[in-house]
Amino acid sequence: MAIPSISELTVLKSLWKRQPLSAREIHDQVEGELGWSYSSTRKTLERMLAKRSVRQSTLHGVQVYEAALEKVDTLAAFAHDFGKRVMEIDTPLSATMFTGSRLVDEDELAQLEQLLLDWPEERGEPA
């Protein structure tokens, strides 16, 4: 799985909370965090469509977007990438760093823990 950029992750987080959303609705949710223009939001959505990390459809005559990437899988990939590339950790990570997150519920936290523990075997990387 390709790791989304930080701005793409911000867009995905807005969609995971509520979808489908129009580009304007997405922009309204991410503007404060990213501090960019509406055209930047549109450009990011176009890039994400090309990468197939979002899907586009029409609802009541308005183009809307939905996340094509699963939340737990994406967060596990981010955590694994951070642990390996940034922290140089070669052992499985614990999902305890996500405890207290408003982004995941208890079931998702359990799924995340399992993904992180099983990552090397499932992704074909050496254990």
Side-chain angles (χ1 to χ4, degrees):
M1 160 188 281
I3 307 289
S5 70
I6 297 301
S7 56
E8 291 169 348
L9 180 63
T10 302
V11 169
L12 286 168
K13 286 176 13 181
S14 73
L15 290 169
W16 290 329
K17 290 176 184 172
R18 191 180 113 225
Q19 55 186 340
L21 294 173
S22 69
R24 175 57 65 187
E25 291 170 318
I26 293 168
H27 176 72
D28 290 346
Q29 289 189 20
V30 303
E31 180 182 19
E33 184 174 341
L34 298 174
W36 62 17
S37 67
Y38 177 67
S39 63
S40 295
T41 300
R42 297 283 308 170
K43 189 71 167 172
T44 299
L45 286 167
E46 288 172 21
R47 190 172 55 246
M48 293 175 76
L49 276 169
K51 291 179 178 180
R52 297 188 174 150
S53 56
V54 296
R55 290 184 292 269
Q56 183 184 55
S57 60
T58 303
L59 181 64
H60 305 296
V62 176
Q63 288 185 339
V64 293
Y65 299 86
E66 294 182 83
L69 298 179
E70 294 295 324
K71 177 173 48 171
V72 174
D73 291 342
T74 303
L75 295 175
F78 253 98
H80 179 76
D81 183 64
F82 176 80
K84 190 157 194 76
R85 284 190 321 113
V86 177
M87 300 304 295
E88 299 181 7
I89 298 171
D90 293 326
T91 58
L93 298 173
S94 170
T96 56
M97 65 182 169
F98 293 96
T99 303
S101 170
R102 295 183 310 252
L103 190 58
V104 293
D105 62 26
E106 290 298 317
D107 290 337
E108 292 168 330
L109 189 61
Q111 292 171 10
L112 191 54
E113 180 78 36
Q114 196 60 53
L115 277 173
L116 290 172
L117 288 174
D118 295 342
W119 191 275
E121 294 77 24
E122 289 184 9
R123 303 302 193 263
E125 295 175 16

